[in-house]
Amino acid sequence: MITATNVTKKFGPVTAVSDVSFDLADGASLALWGSNGAGKTTLIRCLLGVCRFKGRASIGGVDVRRRGRHARALVGYVPQELAFHDDVRLASAMNFFAGLRRAAPARAAQSLAAVGLTGHERKRVRDLSGGMKQRLALAIALLSDPPLIVLDEPTSNLDAAGRGEVVHTLRALKQAGKTLIFASHRPDEVIALADRVIVLERGRVERDTTPAELWPTEKPVQVVRLHLAMAREEDAAEALRQAGHAVHLNGEGLCVAVARDRKAEPISTHARHHNEVRDNEMLDDVQVPEVTP
Amino acid sequence: MRRFRGIILGLFASASVAAPQQSPGPQRQPVAVVTAMIDAAAPGSVVRLPPGVYEGNLVIRKPVTLDGGGKAVFDGLGRGTVIEIAVAGVSLRGCTVRASGDDVTGESAAIRAITGPVTIESNRVEDALYGIDLREAPGSVIRDNIIHCKPLDPERRGDGIRLWWSHGVVVERNAVHQSRDIVFWYSENLIVRHNTVTGSRYGLHFMYSHDTTLSHNVLSDNSVGVYLMYSNDIALTDNRMINNRGASGYGLGLKDCDGIVIKGNALLANRVGVYIDNSPCSVGSTGLFESNMIAFNEIGLLATPNTHSNVFVANAFIENEQPATTHGRGQLTSNVFARDGVGNYWSDYAGLDLDGDGIGDTPYEPRSLFGAMLTAEPNLRLFVHTPAQRAIEFTARALPELRPVPMLIDPAPLAVPPTVGSEIADAPGSRAPMAALAAGLLLSAIGSAFALGRERRALPVPEGNNA
Amino acid sequence: MTALASSAITASDRPLGSAATPARSFVGGIAAFARREFRDAIASRWFLLYTVAFTVLAVGVSFLSLSGVGSHGFAGFGRTAAGLLNLVMLVVPLMALTAGAGAIAGERERGTLIYLLAQPVSRTQLILGKYVGLATALVCSLCIGFGVSAAVLAWRAGGVGITAYAMLVAFTALLALAMLSVGVLISVVSRRSAVATGIALFVWLTLVFVSDLGLMASSILFRLRVQEIFSLAIVNPMQSFKMAVIVNMNASLDVLGPVGAYASFTLGRALPWVLAATIAAWAAVPLVLATILFARRNSP
């Protein structure tokens, strides 16, 4: 469905995406995993042909650089947060994008119904809740019934309920045979939706793997925050990674994703390395852990 | 008698011969036919020409009235003068005279009189180098003729009407188009009225021709409306000079003329309304400009810097880009802009009339900085009608030290425009096209708003604006 | 949400590639953006403000020019045209430049640009569509102002100068297109819409005042010859516009002094075309440049 070959993108001296290659089969779903600034968004923009880059990318065999318009006809794109003229009414926005995507008139209503927005046509975009906006973005993406859906952290601005709705919809899409590429911060989403995970680090493909390999745990995942002496955090994180945990250092301790039945494991790992854990807490909905070096 | 019968027979013969070939067109025959008719007529009698085209050059040597009845055509076939009147007392009327020669040196004319008086009226002149040319034909009348000259370059054209040493001539109700000038050389005591001249060089041009009244003439779209040169004691009343532009572009030009009276004229939308070049030129002489409407010109009044002793009273200077200025450096202050406490109306006068006596409370003293710059640097005229020009004038108003000396002083400017005698309320043309344009513009705006602004109906957009 | 699997998603039973509808035709995409832009424009405050201001001023100029003439409708147009000329030269470039300046930079700043570009459209389509939409809105705005003003003229002055008036409208529209192009170019190179508006105002000030004043000063200081002044002057689209309107009214530029006479003499009948071509170049070149720069931009 989509092929990337040596995709490289530089902003001046900064390399945002470096030599990324992958090939994704029809109906597969790929998660892009990485910290902020790892190059997920830039890679997505390159794949969509929205910005210039070196290398090659094609969607359904169509080169995105040379025939970007036709390549993008095969893609429905859902941004982190729908950005469209706030004054526009929902129906009007749907009409505009239906025109742009050459969708049959009936599709607009179908699409809205599919994401559960029927009845909200008169609302203005600015009056929609975050979850509704993302559902609208999804409805727009589905207008022309494209085989590939690309999502850039579609749930990061949503609360738990909103996230649930979106993940539910995406799972339905996956079941319906759509190919998915999505960037995410949340292991639970990745585990729930992805067949494959590409871990990006400073623009490079660090690992090309599966959620099961990345988090070799039973579902579901629980995040544990460990508070250690500041000076020891780096060493501790390294030790945990070597033990196969997903670790995230965010300045307020160490966040580790673990299976619910193995919550004590990080603490015992520390104990083996003679790192004293001063405190720990179970996080449900706070900072999402990431794989960092 | 035999000869007369011969002519008649000849006419019939030529008619019968020509008829089968040229039945749709008018009958064409040599102008000798007319010569013969004149020869056959008694002096002072009326020769009525049958309809037809008479080809060649005609010379009239007998004082008769030649009446074409509006259907006789004299065609010079592009050679020489078409009709020459060589004897006094001839009247020519109701003829169409066309296709004179076009050599400038030979001065070919449609109608030329070399003596006078003659009467030339209700003729139609077409495709002529000179239209009607009177040489030493005093007391003649040129009336109700329509003259179109050859469509040559302006410098190669001849005059529509020319008088040469012909005193006491009446020139009235003629319409001249696309000629060089209507020109009067050394001809005095003329009556020139109700003529219309368009598309020519000088509408009415006086050279060394004195003591004449010009009234109710309309001169539009010429290079100059009326140009008086070296001609004294001329009164211009109730004429209209409109849209005279081009090389000179004067509504009225005066060069070295004494005793001129300009009254009740309308000088509108010319490049220059009134151009005064050294007039009056004799000591003690004055020029009088009274109750004229000088409006919408680029320059209302333009004068050479030495111009003096003109009196301007009760004129309306309205919306001229520059009301009054000099050609070169200097001011107009040696002229008088009020008489007996009555000045002129200036539409750019900024003063007030608080006492309500119809006279502004402060003198009119135009001090345009941009105007002064134009005088010093004529090239800057390129920048008229620009916001930059307004910016300069605004600056000058804000900084009085930048203001130049006044171009003129009108001590008693009128608070309201005076009623000007000339009937300017011309037919402005039908309102319909302009109204149609207005409607067209508005409809196209509304139409495209409707066509492009409405929603395409993929999803119905509900009415109302609640969220 | 329950309807999702059944109706909205059908890709699975279709062969790949033909699953989605193909991208719109090139012109179709432009038209879609143009419609959107036009609709946004006519619903916006700036459009309303400019249209009302321009109409009120144009009608005011027409009334003022016609008053004081008493009963004589004559020459109303010549004067009205001169007044309108000044008004147009001030207001229309401002309108067009600021409208153009907001076109791309505004979308970029709101973050909507990337979303639009992720649709099956090209950057060229987007920028041309926006240009066409804004241009149509601007011309509509001008048509309203000139239309009402023409109605006043028809009522008060009759049909004098209809050709010249129509030409004034046409050249004003051309000037608006030119200034809109420049505005769009500014918008493409500006990161933020406030910056774009600032640059647009600076360009406006330069074209309206600074360049003329500068040329006046240089023509005096360097004793420029008429042909030099003319060549430098027509580079400014505002001057070209002014000359074109005057030449259409008077058939000659002699009212503009020696420089105008030189232009009329050397170019003759070609003069209005040369002037129109100059303004058209101001419409075409910045737009082409903006399209190229926009297409070559590294990021949205």
Side-chain angles (χ1 to χ4, degrees):
Chain A
M1 184 71 240
I2 180 161
T3 310
T5 316
N6 307 115
V7 172
T8 302
K9 171 73 185 170
K10 290 182 179 172
F11 293 104
V14 180
T15 304
V17 173
S18 175
D19 213 18
V20 172
S21 300
F22 65 87
D23 189 58
L24 190 66
D26 293 353
S29 81
L30 168 68
L32 298 174
W33 181 267
S35 61
N36 285 331
K40 302 188 298 290
T41 297
T42 308
L43 177 59
I44 284 177
R45 288 180 181 182
C46 291
L47 295 179
L48 291 171
V50 169
C51 56
R52 286 151 59 85
F53 61 94
K54 285 190 194 128
R56 272 176 52 82
S58 63
I59 298 170
V62 183
D63 190 300
V64 299
R65 275 174 45 181
R66 258 176 261 143
R67 302 185 63 219
R69 197 151 60 84
H70 301 277
R72 284 191 292 274
L74 303 172
V75 186
Y77 168 69
V78 178
Q80 196 164 353
E81 184 177 5
L82 175 69
F84 195 61
H85 298 204
D86 282 350
D87 286 342
V88 171
R89 286 178 203 286
L90 200 149
S92 176
M94 286 302 280
N95 283 341
F96 170 59
F97 285 103
L100 220 50
R101 303 194 67 99
R102 227 169 77 166
R107 283 292 304 182
Q110 272 180 21
S111 254
L112 276 187
V115 299
L117 282 176
T118 308
H120 297 280
E121 290 89 346
R122 289 165 75 169
K123 285 193 175 165
R124 291 177 193 277
V125 171
R126 82 164 98 82
D127 297 325
L128 298 180
S129 71
M132 286 165 88
K133 271 191 191 173
Q134 287 312 79
R135 274 146 63 192
L136 174 59
L138 210 49
I140 291 169
L142 294 174
L143 267 173
S144 58
D145 195 14
L148 173 63
I149 313 280
V150 175
L151 309 96
D152 188 3
E153 305 197 13
T155 61
S156 65
N157 290 339
L158 301 183
D159 58 13
R163 276 203 309 275
E165 286 174 14
V166 171
V167 170
H168 181 81
T169 311
L170 291 178
R171 192 175 293 156
L173 285 171
K174 182 169 150 54
Q175 279 162 9
K178 301 284 184 194
T179 313
L180 294 183
I181 296 183
F182 65 101
S184 179
H185 268 125
R186 301 189 61 89
D188 52 346
E189 283 174 20
V190 175
I191 290 164
L193 292 171
D195 311 327
R196 184 173 164 191
V197 182
I198 285 181
V199 178
L200 284 173
E201 233 170 72
R202 292 199 207 90
R204 292 186 173 282
V205 178
E206 189 66 21
R207 289 172 74 184
D208 188 345
T209 175
T210 61
E213 282 180 34
L214 197 56
W215 295 290
T217 51
E218 301 292 314
K219 286 179 280 185
V221 170
Q222 174 76 54
V223 177
V224 183
R225 178 181 283 166
L226 304 174
H227 295 272
L228 298 103
M230 286 293 279
R232 308 286 300 169
E233 277 185 349
E234 291 283 346
D235 293 345
E238 192 52 40
L240 285 175
R241 280 193 197 103
Q242 280 169 11
H245 293 289
V247 186
H248 177 60
L249 263 172
N250 70 353
E252 283 182 61
L254 235 65
C255 293
V256 190
V258 291
R260 283 194 194 282
D261 54 350
R262 296 166 67 189
K263 288 193 284 265
E265 203 170 272
I267 300 173
S268 57
T269 308
H270 285 307
R272 280 203 298 280
H273 287 82
H274 313 290
N275 289 333
E276 187 194 348
V277 176
R278 294 201 307 239
D279 192 7
N280 72 66
E281 52 187 316
M282 299 297 138
L283 304 181
D284 182 47
D285 211 20
V286 199
Q287 184 60 52
V288 180
E290 299 198 24
V291 175
T292 51
Chain B
M1 202 54 207
R2 273 174 72 112
R3 188 170 149 196
F4 189 55
R5 200 186 306 148
I7 291 165
I8 301 290
L9 284 174
L11 276 175
F12 280 131
S14 64
S16 57
V17 168
Q21 291 148 0
Q22 299 189 331
S23 49
Q27 199 180 358
R28 309 178 75 89
Q29 44 199 322
V31 78
V33 175
V34 180
T35 313
M37 289 167 74
I38 294 170
D39 288 348
S45 66
V46 177
V47 177
R48 293 184 200 283
L49 298 169
V53 178
Y54 304 97
E55 297 176 337
N57 306 86
L58 175 69
V59 180
I60 304 174
R61 300 180 201 278
K62 188 185 279 182
V64 293
T65 295
L66 206 57
D67 188 345
K71 291 186 175 150
V73 178
F74 287 89
D75 191 330
L77 300 173
R79 285 190 303 271
T81 292
V82 186
I83 299 179
E84 182 173 308
I85 301 170
V87 63
V90 170
S91 288
L92 179 70
R93 64 170 178 248
C95 297
T96 297
V97 185
R98 70 186 184 204
S100 75
D102 59 2
D103 56 317
V104 180
T105 45
E107 298 192 341
S108 299
I111 302 168
R112 168 168 294 138
I114 55 172
T115 182
V118 296
T119 301
I120 299 169
E121 62 182 346
S122 305
N123 299 291
R124 196 179 168 83
V125 172
E126 294 167 355
D127 193 26
L129 185 65
Y130 284 72
I132 298 173
D133 185 18
L134 302 192
R135 297 182 176 181
E136 299 175 52
S140 298
V141 174
I142 303 176
R143 179 187 291 144
D144 289 324
N145 300 288
I146 297 170
I147 300 169
H148 287 251
C149 289
K150 284 180 186 289
L152 299 166
D153 293 337
E155 59 268 24
R156 291 189 56 225
R157 288 182 202 159
D159 297 318
I161 298 176
R162 178 169 69 174
L163 269 59
W164 180 271
W165 285 106
S166 301
H167 300 324
V169 172
V170 174
V171 179
E172 62 182 359
R173 298 199 300 266
N174 300 287
V176 177
H177 182 65
Q178 206 179 49
S179 80
R180 183 168 63 187
D181 305 348
I182 289 192
V183 61
F184 306 88
W185 289 89
Y186 313 110
S187 302
E188 298 175 4
N189 293 306
L190 311 173
I191 296 172
V192 180
R193 62 191 174 200
H194 294 291
N195 298 288
T196 304
V197 187
T198 59
S200 301
R201 188 184 68 156
Y202 297 168
L204 297 169
H205 184 196
F206 278 65
M207 295 293 285
Y208 308 99
S209 294
H210 312 301
D211 301 305
T212 283
T213 299
L214 298 89
S215 64
H216 298 98
N217 299 290
V218 178
L219 303 316
S220 61
D221 302 297
N222 308 293
S223 175
V224 174
V226 177
Y227 215 147
L228 309 182
M229 296 180 175
Y230 320 106
S231 302
N232 303 329
D233 303 310
I234 289 182
L236 251 83
T237 57
D238 301 315
N239 301 286
R240 293 166 58 190
M241 295 77 144
I242 298 169
N243 207 35
N244 297 291
R245 293 175 177 274
S248 302
Y250 309 141
L252 164 65
L254 301 176
K255 177 161 180 54
D256 293 335
C257 300
D258 291 338
I260 300 295
V261 175
I262 313 290
K263 221 168 179 172
N265 301 284
L267 300 118
L268 309 176
N270 306 288
R271 187 178 76 85
V272 174
V274 177
Y275 174 61
I276 306 178
D277 179 0
N278 198 33
S279 294
C281 57
S282 310
V283 177
S285 178
T286 58
L288 175 63
F289 294 79
E290 190 175 345
S291 300
N292 300 288
M293 156 92 67
I294 301 171
F296 317 122
N297 306 288
E298 293 299 319
I299 302 174
L301 166 64
L302 177 68
T304 46
N306 53 352
T307 297
H308 58 86
S309 307
N310 288 292
V311 178
F312 293 84
V313 59
N315 299 291
F317 286 85
I318 294 174
E319 295 287 339
N320 299 292
E321 183 60 34
Q322 271 185 294
T325 188
T326 53
H327 202 71
R329 288 167 198 278
Q331 281 77 41
L332 292 167
T333 38
S334 322
N335 300 280
V336 180
F337 287 88
R339 190 182 62 192
D340 305 328
V342 176
N344 302 275
Y345 177 79
W346 307 88
S347 62
D348 59 331
Y349 176 61
L352 300 169
D353 175 26
L354 292 178
D355 52 9
D357 62 352
I359 305 292
D361 299 337
T362 50
Y364 172 75
E365 301 179 344
R367 303 162 183 260
S368 158
L369 176 57
F370 192 72
M373 290 165 66
L374 286 184
T375 308
E377 292 285 337
N379 283 350
L380 294 189
R381 190 170 286 280
L382 178 64
F383 299 95
V384 299
H385 300 300
T386 58
Q389 176 197 4
R390 313 282 149 180
I392 288 174
E393 297 291 17
F394 181 81
T395 314
R397 233 169 285 144
L399 303 169
E401 55 269 29
L402 285 179
R403 304 188 68 180
V405 295
M407 181 55 69
L408 61 92
I409 297 172
D410 183 339
L414 302 179
V416 286
T419 355
V420 170
S422 180
E423 65 275 20
I424 310 166
D426 62 341
S430 163
R431 283 161 203 276
M434 197 55 133
L437 179 65
L441 288 170
L442 290 172
L443 281 178
S444 57
I446 294 164
S448 44
F450 184 76
L452 288 166
R454 97 194 127 80
E455 288 281 350
R456 285 146 52 93
R457 265 181 282 147
L459 260 188
V461 177
E463 299 298 318
N465 50 5
N466 59 319
Chain C
M1 299 299 272
T2 46
L4 182 68
S6 60
S7 70
I9 300 149
T10 52
S12 53
D13 14 283
R14 291 205 227 155
L16 187 96
S18 71
T21 17
R24 275 189 83 112
S25 72
F26 187 72
V27 174
I30 293 176
F33 277 117
R35 266 166 184 280
R36 165 97 261 149
E37 197 64 29
F38 178 82
R39 218 155 46 203
D40 282 356
I42 60 171
S44 69
R45 259 166 304 175
W46 69 260
F47 181 83
L48 194 70
L49 187 76
Y50 277 135
T51 306
V52 169
F54 182 71
T55 307
V56 167
L57 287 169
V59 170
V61 165
S62 310
F63 263 112
L64 277 179
S65 314
L66 294 176
S67 67
V69 196
S71 61
H72 327 301
F74 174 78
F77 176 66
R79 221 49 232 159
T80 310
L84 285 175
L85 194 60
N86 261 297
L87 173 69
V88 163
M89 287 170 72
L90 273 178
V91 176
V92 171
L94 187 64
M95 260 167 100
L97 279 168
T98 49
I104 304 291
E107 298 264 13
R108 189 179 289 139
E109 193 170 272
R110 284 195 299 271
T112 48
L113 187 57
I114 187 79
Y115 189 54
L116 291 177
L117 290 174
Q119 305 302 321
V121 293
S122 68
R123 282 169 179 258
T124 308
Q125 281 178 306
L126 179 103
I127 196 167
L128 291 183
K130 278 185 160 286
Y131 182 82
V132 171
L134 283 173
T136 316
L138 275 175
V139 171
C140 279
S141 174
L142 294 176
C143 280
I144 291 169
F146 279 121
V148 175
S149 176
V152 170
L153 283 175
W155 171 39
R156 299 293 298 268
V160 176
I162 181 161
T163 320
Y165 192 88
M167 292 308 286
L168 174 67
V169 177
F171 270 100
T172 304
L174 189 57
L175 179 70
L177 296 189
M179 292 295 97
L180 181 64
S181 270
V182 176
V184 168
L185 177 60
I186 292 169
S187 200
V188 165
V189 298
S190 306
R191 204 162 276 282
R192 297 171 52 82
S193 86
V195 173
T197 308
I199 298 175
L201 287 175
F202 177 77
V203 169
W204 175 76
L205 210 61
T206 305
L207 290 177
V208 171
F209 294 106
V210 180
S211 80
D212 276 359
L213 291 173
L215 187 51
M216 280 186 211
S218 349
S219 78
I220 296 170
L221 289 177
F222 305 119
R223 311 257 30 120
L224 296 178
R225 286 171 299 168
V226 284
Q227 58 267 45
E228 293 163 338
I229 300 177
F230 176 72
S231 318
L232 288 172
I234 60 166
V235 171
N236 184 343
M238 239 73 99
Q239 276 285 1
S240 283
F241 165 76
K242 184 195 81 180
M243 288 188 230
V245 172
I246 290 177
V247 87
N248 276 310
M249 264 194 297
N250 301 343
S252 157
L253 275 185
D254 49 52
V255 300
L256 297 182
V259 181
Y262 162 81
S264 282
F265 179 74
T266 45
L267 294 173
R269 284 177 193 283
L271 180 58
W273 297 104
V274 169
L275 297 169
T278 317
I279 311 174
W282 273 90
V285 174
L287 183 60
V288 169
L289 207 58
T291 309
I292 293 171
L293 286 178
F294 188 54
R296 295 173 63 89
R297 260 190 93 90
N298 229 358
S299 55

